[in-house]
Amino acid sequence: MGQIKIQESEIDLTHGRKGKMAVLMYAGEDDPVAKLDQAVSTYVGNKGHHQFIDIHMDNPWIRVIMSDINNINQRDFDPQTDRL
């Protein structure tokens, strides 16, 4: 899996718990879908998760995985201050 790179971050959940967000990227000549399918399966095992894939598959080399999305701390969106 040397052609798969990963970046993980912790996510604050309710009740002081932590979840994870991971970005997996494939950099190789093989089919990125098959390679990332295998990497995601290995990464998540049998744990519940949400997987985000480019809807148009313009970028099949990246997957975003999140655990415990239903327990993420939430607040109302403020268009005045919430920006990238």
Side-chain angles (χ1 to χ4, degrees):
M1 296 246 175
Q3 296 175 313
I4 302 286
K5 305 295 182 195
I6 187 168
Q7 174 64 45
E8 291 180 300
S9 294
E10 283 193 338
I11 301 169
D12 291 330
L13 302 176
T14 56
H15 308 294
R17 294 175 295 162
K18 299 283 184 183
K20 281 189 178 180
M21 181 185 75
V23 178
L24 288 93
M25 297 167 277
Y26 175 71
E29 298 299 320
D30 295 323
D31 177 15
V33 174
K35 293 293 185 179
L36 285 167
D37 283 348
Q38 180 183 4
V40 168
S41 178
T42 300
Y43 179 72
V44 302
N46 61 357
K47 306 253 179 178
H49 67 283
H50 289 82
Q51 182 175 174
F52 300 93
I53 303 170
D54 178 8
I55 192 168
H56 300 291
M57 288 304 281
D58 294 336
N59 189 355
W61 300 275
I62 294 179
R63 303 279 177 93
V64 177
I65 309 298
M66 291 182 73
S67 67
D68 299 303
I69 198 169
N70 295 328
N71 295 310
I72 293 174
N73 285 321
Q74 299 177 15
R75 61 180 171 75
D76 291 336
F77 173 73
D78 182 349
Q80 300 300 313
T81 59
D82 291 320
R83 310 277 180 170
L84 282 178

